[in-house]
Amino acid sequence: MKGIAARAALWSARHRTLAILGWIAFVIGVTVLAGQYSTIEATGSDQGHGESKKADKIVEAAGFPVEPAREMVIVQNRADTDRAAALSDLTAALKKTANVVDVQPAIQSPDGRSSLITFGISGDPETAADRVGPSLDTVASVAKEHPGLYIGQGGNASGDKLIGEDLDKGLHTLSLLSIPVTLGILLIAFGAVVAAFLPVLLAVMAVVAAIGLLAFASRLAPTVDTTMHVMLLVGLAVGVDYCLFYIRRERDERRNGADPHRALVIAAQTSGRSIWISGLTVIVAMAGMFLTYDATFTSFAIGTILVVATAVLGSLTVLPALLSALGDKVDAIKIPGLYRKRSDGRVWNAFLGVVLAKPLISAVLAVAALGALAWPALDLKTKGEGLEDLPPDAAIVQAYKAVQEAFPSEISPAEVVLQGPVDRQKVAAFEKAVSASDGRLVGPVDVRVNPAGTVTVVSVGLKDKDALPVLREDVVPATFGADALVTGEAAGEADFNARLESSLPWVFGFVLGLAFLLLLVSFRSVVVAITGVVLNLLSVAAAYGMLVYVFQYGHFESVLDFHAAEGIVNWMPLFLFIILFGLSMDYHVFVLSRIREGHDRGLPTRQAVREGIGRTAGVITSAAVVMVAVFALFATLPLASTKQLGIGLAAAVLLDATIIRAVLLPAVMALLGEKNWWLPRWLGWLPQIAHEPPSAPPAHDRDRELISA
């Protein structure tokens, strides 16, 4: 037997008790050990870039007193214009409210229509969401007594409680739903309970083990809290797919008359090899995120690499052991009406017949359809996450919008960080420059100095994001000098965008280049490697176009419960490219392996294409339905970014499994014919990798193998 996958499968099948118990011990052991260590999470400065990151680290190390989480309540004219009574009632009530400290006198907006009261939440600001409830109740009670005014509360603590709780609840529900949804689809695909249960069980165990490994990996690179949800998303998708491919091939060979040993050997040599190559390709794609030098992307990269590697390990070791132990009992507990001994794929074969009969027309139509879907991507714009990405009907969103319009300096002020004692003359010059900025910079200017007197932070409001260059490039250098650093939400977003923009060519080049090399080595064909990369780029482009059409142009707003924004969330295009490229290669490698298998048996290319795609269409469809269903669940979460992630992934996988794999791939390969397998002579040194199943060994050798195990 040749290849890692085949050797691993044979060893596991011969030592199946050791393989099964070893896998269980690995999952439990990693989980228990990880419980002894807390996962290290990235801090705000860890996630920053450029000038704002330097400023944040200076402030972090300066020893400023920990301030309580700040909350604010806006009282605004609506039907009633007399705010005095409401402000008096609100101030008095807040001072008597549990966990509320430092209630400030009300300030008035420049237009005279709004007033703002700020206060703090006692205790650790990181856990203030747990103690903000009484203040929310107080504000709601006062608002009820003054129905003619708009009274709304906003702040980090209330935001974490109201939006964070909804998001956590949604993610928890998604995690619970994704498993039964996946199991239900597999029950329909296999028609047997045991065969459907195995992929879900192994995928969940792979995710659990990978999350345990993440605790150790966080010692090298701190993680972000959303990484585990991304790991579940990717791990469930690839883990189920790998097991599905393996089990379906083993079952097909048994139904074709192969004995248990022969069926498992063929599955190991073919599907097992595809899993190994596919997993390696996905890992390479995910590794591209390291080149962003961003803490969030690095955390995603580590998490997804761990979960894919664990899923591959389980699929190549414990799965063959389980199949060897179960034998034909893997089809146990058959579901009447769903279980079929053979899946001949009549519909797919009939459709393929049409495509292969007219490959040029089919290719043109497929490219035209993908081009039409991708066309809006030419208008793709990116933006940072903001209020417009939160649920539009949420009370806190309404409060934030009102405060942002009336008191722009209170929402996300820019901070100028100066090393050294405060220079009052420079501060006065800065205040004068703010007054002369035509309203682009908004006072009041606030000055904070650390206890040691070595770091000064000067805060000022920004009218909008366009005011940041005025502050950074003109006002700050002219008043504080070139050594002053600017941070804050707008500055952090600008620095993140600059870092992302500079890393894009490197990430795209790395992922595309290594994917090309992996396909080249695996299939010994320059043409196959090029077409594989191009087809995957087409599916990614179409996904981008659909994102723009839905979230930027505002289609299906009421269905998906969001408001259209001026652009897609800035990290989404890069993240989708990497995830989609990795996952689409999953299908591509599996289909191409089956086509190459037929070609190596001597079939003409067109017949090999028909046989390869026809025989894999059912399992590809089942795998795609699993992915689409799991990804679509993300569209139910409250944030626009999670909706974009779910819709983008689901749409791309659906397109990839239908237009790309069922139409464009067979049409292009039929048109190219034997040119598909072209390899220059100077690349003849590439290793020969057998795609055709091994020949059947003599009967006495078979008897000594797996059956006797």
Side-chain angles (χ1 to χ4, degrees):
M1 293 300 298
K2 296 180 180 179
I4 295 174
R7 290 193 180 109
L10 288 179
W11 184 91
S12 297
R14 289 174 183 148
H15 308 85
R16 54 194 179 217
T17 301
L18 179 60
I20 294 169
L21 293 180
W23 172 256
I24 295 172
F26 165 69
V27 175
I28 295 175
V30 166
T31 305
V32 171
L33 283 175
Q36 307 302 312
Y37 300 88
S38 59
T39 301
I40 299 175
E41 295 196 1
T43 63
S45 60
D46 288 332
Q47 299 179 61
H49 295 280
E51 181 179 330
S52 58
K53 180 175 183 176
K54 292 178 184 177
D56 290 339
K57 285 194 172 294
I58 291 171
V59 173
E60 208 173 72
F64 279 92
V66 177
E67 296 185 356
R70 303 303 298 177
E71 290 287 306
M72 49 197 170
V73 181
I74 186 169
V75 180
Q76 195 169 64
N77 296 348
R78 293 291 166 91
D80 187 3
T81 58
D82 183 12
R83 303 191 302 275
L87 291 170
S88 177
D89 293 347
L90 186 60
T91 301
L94 284 172
K95 288 181 176 180
K96 298 176 183 177
T97 302
N99 304 322
V100 171
V101 296
D102 193 24
V103 180
Q104 295 294 307
I107 59 173
Q108 186 168 294
S109 63
D111 64 5
R113 291 185 58 249
S114 307
S115 297
L116 191 73
I117 294 176
T118 61
F119 59 92
I121 301 296
S122 61
D124 185 355
E126 295 296 325
T127 59
D130 299 333
R131 300 181 300 279
V132 76
S135 67
L136 289 169
D137 294 338
T138 295
V139 172
S141 176
V142 173
K144 190 178 293 185
E145 295 172 4
H146 300 273
L149 298 170
Y150 170 70
I151 301 176
Q153 179 176 341
N156 289 336
S158 53
D160 287 345
K161 180 173 179 60
L162 299 176
I163 300 297
E165 284 184 356
D166 284 349
L167 182 60
D168 289 342
K169 182 180 178 181
L171 286 169
H172 181 67
T173 303
L174 183 148
S175 301
L176 294 177
L177 280 177
S178 58
I179 295 173
V181 166
T182 301
L183 182 60
I185 294 168
L186 292 178
L187 285 171
I188 296 173
F190 281 112
V193 173
V194 174
F197 183 72
L198 275 183
V200 177
L201 175 64
L202 291 180
V204 170
M205 292 180 77
V207 171
V208 171
I211 290 175
L213 292 172
L214 184 66
F216 303 106
S218 69
R219 264 71 192 158
L220 300 175
T223 186
V224 297
D225 54 3
T226 51
T227 300
M228 293 184 187
H229 301 297
V230 174
M231 290 173 70
L232 175 65
L233 179 83
V234 175
L236 202 58
V238 299
V240 167
D241 279 7
Y242 293 161
C243 294
L244 184 60
F245 296 161
Y246 210 121
I247 295 172
R248 181 60 67 87
R249 185 61 187 264
E250 192 271 346
R251 291 290 82 200
D252 286 347
E253 295 303 326
R254 283 291 288 138
R255 291 158 188 164
N256 287 334
D259 59 45
H261 164 66
R262 172 76 175 155
L264 190 55
V265 165
I266 292 175
Q269 188 77 43
T270 55
S271 292
R273 178 189 166 279
S274 297
I275 290 168
W276 169 245
I277 296 172
S278 173
L280 198 58
T281 308
V282 175
I283 288 172
V284 164
M286 302 307 174
M289 286 188 275
F290 288 127
L291 296 178
T292 62
Y293 300 101
D294 177 76
T296 300
F297 279 116
T298 297
S299 178
F300 287 170
I302 291 173
T304 51
I305 287 172
L306 286 174
V307 79
V308 171
T310 309
V312 170
L313 177 66
S315 300
L316 299 185
T317 56
V318 70
L319 181 58
L322 287 169
L323 290 176
S324 174
L326 288 170
D328 290 337
K329 292 179 182 177
V330 74
D331 282 340
I333 317 180
K334 300 177 180 64
I335 302 174
L338 293 179
Y339 180 78
R340 296 183 302 277
K341 282 195 171 183
R342 285 189 169 276
S343 179
D344 51 11
R346 293 178 185 175
V347 175
W348 278 111
N349 280 311
F351 184 76
L352 268 176
V354 174
V355 171
L356 294 175
K358 303 288 183 182
L360 181 59
I361 295 175
S362 299
V364 170
L365 290 175
V367 171
L370 290 170
L373 291 171
W375 184 261
L378 296 174
D379 193 32
L380 189 149
K381 298 179 179 65
T382 59
K383 54 175 277 305
E385 293 190 72
L387 287 176
E388 64 276 12
D389 300 306
L390 298 172
D393 56 349
I396 192 168
V397 173
Q398 304 299 324
Y400 262 118
K401 286 181 178 178
V403 174
Q404 191 174 52
E405 292 174 2
F407 303 92
S409 63
E410 297 293 332
I411 289 291
S412 54
E415 294 184 337
V416 183
V417 178
L418 311 167
Q419 289 184 285
V422 60
D423 187 327
R424 294 297 174 185
Q425 289 184 336
K426 289 183 177 180
V427 172
F430 180 76
E431 290 176 333
K432 185 176 180 181
V434 169
S435 301
S437 66
D438 296 327
R440 287 176 290 183
L441 304 180
V442 183
V445 173
D446 179 57
V447 180
R448 292 185 296 134
V449 182
N450 70 329
T454 56
V455 176
T456 302
V457 178
V458 181
S459 301
V460 65
L462 301 177
K463 181 181 179 182
D464 50 38
K465 294 176 184 177
D466 294 334
L468 179 65
V470 175
L471 178 66
R472 268 187 167 173
E473 299 167 17
D474 299 331
V475 175
V476 168
T479 54
F480 293 121
D483 293 335
L485 301 172
V486 177
T487 186
E489 185 177 314
E493 182 183 322
D495 292 338
F496 173 77
N497 288 340
R499 174 67 258 178
L500 208 58
E501 187 175 340
S502 65
S503 65
L504 278 177
W506 295 100
V507 175
F508 276 64
F510 175 84
V511 173
L512 295 176
L514 282 187
F516 172 84
L517 289 176
L518 280 171
L519 288 175
L520 176 65
V521 172
S522 300
F523 297 98
R524 289 178 57 84
S525 167
V526 173
V527 176
V528 163
I530 292 174
T531 54
V533 169
V534 171
L535 292 182
N536 286 321
L537 282 175
L538 284 173
S539 66
V540 171
Y544 284 174
M546 295 181 75
L547 279 181
V548 172
Y549 181 79
V550 175
F551 293 99
Q552 201 170 300
Y553 293 169
H555 295 91
F556 310 111
E557 282 184 312
S558 59
V559 176
L560 296 173
D561 189 26
F562 74 98
H563 280 173
E566 61 187 15
I568 306 302
V569 174
N570 50 14
W571 56 267
M572 191 64 61
L574 178 62
F575 185 68
L576 277 180
F577 166 76
I578 291 170
I579 295 291
L580 290 176
F581 206 89
L583 295 182
S584 61
M585 290 300 288
D586 183 15
Y587 297 147
H588 197 72
V589 168
F590 186 68
V591 174
L592 280 179
S593 295
R594 202 66 184 264
I595 293 172
R596 186 62 192 253
E597 182 184 318
H599 178 268
D600 289 351
R601 291 203 316 269
L603 295 178
T605 296
R606 189 170 294 205
Q607 188 176 343
V609 168
R610 181 165 191 164
E611 181 180 288
I613 295 180
R615 289 185 176 180
T616 58
V619 68
I620 289 292
T621 302
S622 300
V625 171
V626 169
M627 281 197 185
V628 170
V630 172
F631 294 156
L633 290 174
F634 272 70
T636 64
L637 297 177
L639 300 184
S641 57
T642 57
K643 295 179 188 294
Q644 291 173 18
L645 182 63
I647 296 298
L649 288 172
V653 169
L654 185 61
L655 291 172
D656 193 73
T658 52
I659 297 178
I660 298 287
R661 305 296 159 216
V663 182
L664 195 52
L665 176 64
V668 169
M669 294 193 76
L671 288 170
L672 292 172
E674 292 303 309
K675 295 185 181 68
N676 282 292
W677 317 111
W678 177 72
L679 184 74
R681 289 185 179 179
W682 59 273
L683 287 176
W685 55 269
L686 289 175
Q688 293 278 357
I689 299 176
H691 290 265
E692 185 182 1
S695 56
H700 63 277
D701 288 341
R702 291 200 303 270
D703 293 339
R704 288 204 309 265
E705 294 282 355
L706 306 182
I707 298 175
S708 63

